[in-house]
Amino acid sequence: MAMREPELLEVDVWRSGGDAGGQFRTYAVPREDAQTVLDVVTWIQRKLDPTLAYRFACRVGMCGSCAMTVNGRARWTCRTHVAKVARGNRLQIAPLANLPVVRDLVVDMRAFFDKWAKAGGQFTPTASRRDDFVRVAPDTPARREVDAAIECIGCGVCYASCDIVAWNPAYLGPAALNRAWTLQNDVRDGDHPARLAAVAGDAGCHACHTQAACTERCPKQLSPTTSIAGLKRMTARAALKGEL
Amino acid sequence: MRTADWRNRDHPSYWAFLVHRVSGLTLALFLPLHFWVLGRALAGEAALDEFLRWTEQPLVKASEVALVFLLAAHLAGGLRLLLIEFVGWRRQAKQSWVAIAAGVALFCALAFALNLY
Ligand code: SF4
Ligand code: SF4
Ligand code: FES
């Protein structure tokens, strides 16, 4: 049986260096069934250019480390099939937007996670290990809000897709605000007033223009837009009551 | 640091945002003209009538329809925002809200156009 000639993908990959800070370089990669964008990047690094820098860990959509800009849109590359995103046989792969590039496809996520801390992203316990488990009924409204927003993997796709992050570098961004919203609805948490104050500022929830790019792109199908709208209502209510 | 380009913005919610913003700005530009026309009434009946006769021209009529469309679009966009922000709309409902907003705007413009001619 004659071997089938493998179809070739033409892949433009962002490489650091040079005066412009970087440029796209084109690689030819054999196309395969059920191939992910991460597979393509790995193939280039293993077979064509070992100096290519990129980041991944779990390969199954859990760790949130593999996000890149694929054909102009931020995506988790380990769970994005080439067949879904390639235009003909072309693919363009760049680092995430709105974050400083360390090298090639790797961005510095520090600003992203620092903002989680600024938004009060840490859980503040009100009980100790000597206490019994708190029972939170699954059908309470607050618990439902948490359930709808809790599955964030911290991939930064929303952050890279949000225009407001690009326009206002101080803006806390969709993921950090989404995290704050889950904690504001967590009945076990003991830091609600301080967190509300943290997200009520100029760089907080009210900076959001409800463009919903975050919601459009979140690979976990979360809706940071809804969470942020919730924070807007929560802060407005607190302000009316004179608590803020 | 790289910034996202238009490929990132090509989604229904962004288009809704854009229509809302552009219609808002255009209406804001139109307002001074509107007040000026109302001001003509103070200058006397004749002045106003003369102006109103000018508005009978087809081109002016057409831009009036456009104006009503902009108003309706801006109104629908505002309602959409209120629903998102106060009713806590979810991801699944997104497309439908954009569609409903566009529909309401078109309907108003059409109704106005039919009335006009
Ligand atoms: S809804 Fe808000 S946070 Fe999400 S992309 Fe739009 S402006 Fe950014
Ligand atoms: S909200 Fe979604 S897009 Fe944003 S960091 Fe979490 S999982 Fe990623
Ligand atoms: S490698 Fe872990 S989410 Fe993609």
Side-chain angles (χ1 to χ4, degrees), chain A residues 85-230:
Chain A
V85 287
R87 297 258 157 97
N89 268 333
R90 288 197 76 96
L91 213 52
Q92 189 200 61
I93 307 175
L96 284 184
N98 297 343
L99 288 161
V101 178
V102 178
R103 193 157 77 93
D104 300 338
L105 301 172
V106 178
V107 291
D108 183 349
M109 302 282 286
R110 253 179 303 183
F112 176 71
F113 287 116
D114 284 351
K115 286 176 178 178
W116 283 50
K118 278 200 195 115
Q122 230 160 14
F123 175 68
T124 308
T126 47
S128 80
R129 64 199 161 92
R130 275 172 292 279
D131 294 305
D132 196 6
F133 285 112
V134 181
R135 282 176 180 76
V136 186
D139 54 356
T140 54
R143 171 67 186 268
R144 283 186 188 195
E145 293 294 347
V146 178
D147 284 346
I150 199 68
E151 296 285 343
C152 172
I153 57 172
C155 63
V157 162
C158 54
Y159 191 84
S161 309
C162 174
D163 268 354
I164 312 303
V165 172
W167 296 342
N168 174 4
Y171 177 45
L172 293 171
L177 292 169
N178 181 70
R179 170 67 182 163
W181 172 245
T182 61
L183 290 169
Q184 287 304 94
N185 281 289
D186 190 332
V187 293
R188 305 163 307 162
D189 180 274
D191 205 22
H192 289 179
R195 189 176 301 106
L196 201 60
V199 300
D202 273 355
C205 60
H206 296 289
C208 165
H209 282 40
T210 318
Q211 287 173 356
C214 52
T215 301
E216 194 77 33
R217 303 271 179 259
C218 172
K220 296 291 290 180
Q221 319 260 305
L222 306 184
S223 176
T225 313
T226 308
S227 300
I228 295 170

